[in-house]
Amino acid sequence: MSSSDPLFNPLTVGDLEVRNRVWMAPLTRCRSLLPGHVPWQLNAAYYRERATGGLLFSEATEIAQEGRGYPGVPGLFTDAQVAGWRKVTAAVHESGGLIACQLWHVGRASHQAFQPGGKDPVAPSAIAAKGDVHLPDGSKAKYPTPRALAADELPGIVATYRTAAENAKAAGFDAVELHGANGYLIDEFLRNGANHRTDEYGGSVENRCRFPLMVIDALIDVWGKERVGIRVSPLGSFNDMTDSDPLPLYSHFFGELQKRGIAFLEIVGAIHGDDIDEDLMAKIDAAGREQFNGTLILNGGYTGDSAREAIASGKCDAITFGTPFLANPDLPRRLREGAELNESNPNTWYTRGAEGYVDYPSLDGGPVPTSD
Ligand SMILES: Cc1cc2nc3c(=O)[nH]c(=O)nc-3n(C[C@H](O)[C@H](O)[C@H](O)COP(=O)(O)O)c2cc1C
């Protein structure tokens, strides 16, 4: 049924029928059960409350312990983690929602304290990110210099993504999103501030896209192209990321994604008030539209009205909301009714327990109705 409000027109994404265009962005919340990094009922309750979003993205989810860089984040490489995620996906499905898993390897944004055997984190090149890492004991340290991956190690990392994708299927997810944003492994290969390689995985735009596309191909093998997507943040500076010439890089990358026919591409713009070149960002978003025929999702600082405008003008097909969804479990209803929004409290973004997690009130104060 078509709606006069662009946010509430259903759309087909790959082979999924999605009921609206108010989607939940991936949000790390550090509340999995320790020591196994296992999702549990508390996480299921949080996602269930938000199931009226058209498509929910899970918080970034580690494909292996080597991919970990934050305390309390969930994984998808043990049987217990798969069983834990099943509780989450079942809760979302019972409420009529859909959920994609964001597959994550942090690359250099880690520390020996997270790594098996206290080894160095890995990255395309041995270049440390400027900034601090939050350690499991609550203290902070400078990001260490990572070890540059040898070319013959890369097929093994692709295989790890493949196994995680298989696990995502076993856990009942509806799709997978490759985390190619925010200064983690895939982004580190794409952008030449972090990738100084001189082999076939560095240098030219084609070479820098090679490893990310190998991973995409593995995800397609497991899921089929209709259920695979990727998130990128072409101008994001988080985790000390830069690129000398992003437009040709991403134009090429989007074209390669189109050749593979994946279902969706999510482009992150300015987040948390980042000062980015808006003209360049608009060109990259437009390149996404021109080069890629699947579902285009934009993210970063959208309100209900700016989201409506972006969709109505054809700039994109859907918007992912991060902090607004974090603080408003019934965000679709609030946007539909023009209701006021709860403010998100950054002090509880990454703490543990129910506070700041499942206690943001819905408009009625009770559970969020599932019919929205
Ligand atoms: C608490 C918090 C956790 C986040 N975790 C993730 C994550 O796991 N994966 C990711 O790609 N982006 C993550 N982000 C970025 C958001 O998905 C989103 O890009 C950002 O909040 C901007 O959207 P917004 O303006 O609608 O909030 C996170 C942001 C916040 C505030």
Side-chain angles (χ1 to χ4, degrees):
M1 200 175 64
S2 140
S3 159
S4 58
D5 183 339
L7 291 180
F8 294 95
N9 272 330
L11 80 163
T12 306
V13 180
D15 61 2
L16 289 170
E17 298 303 320
V18 180
R19 59 184 164 179
N20 65 44
R21 290 140 191 262
V22 181
W23 295 8
M24 181 171 156
L27 292 166
T28 290
R29 306 303 312 278
C30 299
R31 284 165 169 88
S32 66
L33 268 189
L34 295 173
H37 294 254
V38 173
W40 60 304
Q41 281 86 345
L42 180 66
N43 309 130
Y46 164 81
Y47 284 100
R48 181 196 291 276
E49 283 186 341
R50 287 160 180 75
T52 57
L55 177 61
L56 313 189
F57 287 101
S58 78
E59 60 210 272
T61 298
E62 305 160 354
I63 59 164
Q65 193 188 330
E66 288 81 351
R68 179 179 303 157
Y70 296 85
V73 293
L76 192 48
F77 52 92
T78 68
D79 290 346
Q81 290 166 343
V82 172
W85 276 118
R86 238 183 255 126
K87 293 179 189 152
V88 173
T89 59
V92 171
H93 292 152
E94 276 159 28
S95 304
L98 295 167
I99 181 164
C101 185
Q102 191 185 47
L103 298 177
W104 193 27
H105 187 308
V106 298
R108 69 178 183 175
S110 183
H111 187 274
Q112 290 83 354
F114 289 111
Q115 296 294 315
K119 291 194 188 141
D120 291 337
V122 294
S125 300
I127 304 167
K130 290 192 195 75
D132 291 332
V133 51
H134 294 257
L135 298 179
D137 66 5
S139 65
K140 281 193 207 171
K142 296 277 167 230
Y143 278 120
T145 302
R147 178 176 70 78
L149 284 159
D152 65 6
E153 289 178 274
L154 297 179
I157 298 192
V158 174
T160 307
Y161 274 103
R162 178 190 293 271
T163 305
E166 285 162 355
N167 288 344
K169 250 190 179 173
F173 283 101
D174 299 292
V176 284
E177 177 178 67
L178 178 60
H179 195 340
N182 300 347
Y184 303 116
L185 187 66
I186 299 295
D187 197 17
E188 292 162 17
F189 270 89
L190 288 173
R191 291 201 269 169
N192 60 16
N195 182 346
H196 291 192
R197 297 178 77 96
T198 53
D199 63 2
E200 67 270 39
Y201 297 100
S204 68
V205 155
E206 290 77 11
N207 280 356
R208 283 184 276 137
C209 293
R210 193 179 311 279
F211 173 69
L213 291 169
M214 282 162 61
V215 177
I216 287 286
D217 288 339
L219 302 185
I220 293 171
D221 261 4
V222 176
W223 275 85
K225 61 187 168 59
E226 308 286 338
R227 300 290 182 101
V228 171
I230 184 168
R231 166 178 258 224
V232 292
S233 55
L235 300 187
S237 56
F238 186 65
N239 281 324
D240 194 26
M241 291 301 289
T242 57
D243 189 81
S244 59
D245 199 6
L247 185 56
L249 166 65
Y250 284 92
S251 296
H252 173 78
F253 191 50
F254 297 158
E256 289 298 313
L257 296 173
Q258 172 58 26
K259 281 186 199 160
R260 288 157 175 82
I262 61 170
F264 58 87
L265 164 63
E266 183 187 16
I267 306 178
V268 181
I271 66 173
H272 315 321
D274 266 3
D275 187 18
I276 64 168
D277 178 341
E278 292 294 348
D279 286 345
L280 181 56
M281 195 65 234
K283 286 185 186 143
I284 294 172
D285 291 346
R289 208 36 152 177
E290 279 157 26
Q291 303 289 334
F292 182 75
N293 294 336
T295 299
L296 184 67
I297 311 151
L298 297 181
N299 168 261
Y302 281 88
T303 62
D305 283 343
S306 61
R308 283 186 180 97
E309 200 188 305
I311 294 166
S313 69
K315 258 178 84 179
C316 66
D317 303 300
I319 297 290
T320 42
F321 294 87
T323 40
F325 232 130
L326 190 156
N328 295 275
D330 53 353
L331 185 67
R333 176 180 172 193
R334 286 177 193 250
L335 296 186
R336 190 204 288 276
E337 295 180 7
E340 245 182 73
L341 301 186
N342 304 319
E343 282 295 316
S344 126
N345 175 8
N347 296 326
T348 52
W349 281 356
Y350 307 114
T351 49
R352 296 188 60 76
E355 192 195 347
Y357 191 56
V358 288
D359 56 359
Y360 284 105
S362 68
L363 275 180
D364 298 329
V368 181
T370 54
S371 59
D372 203 327

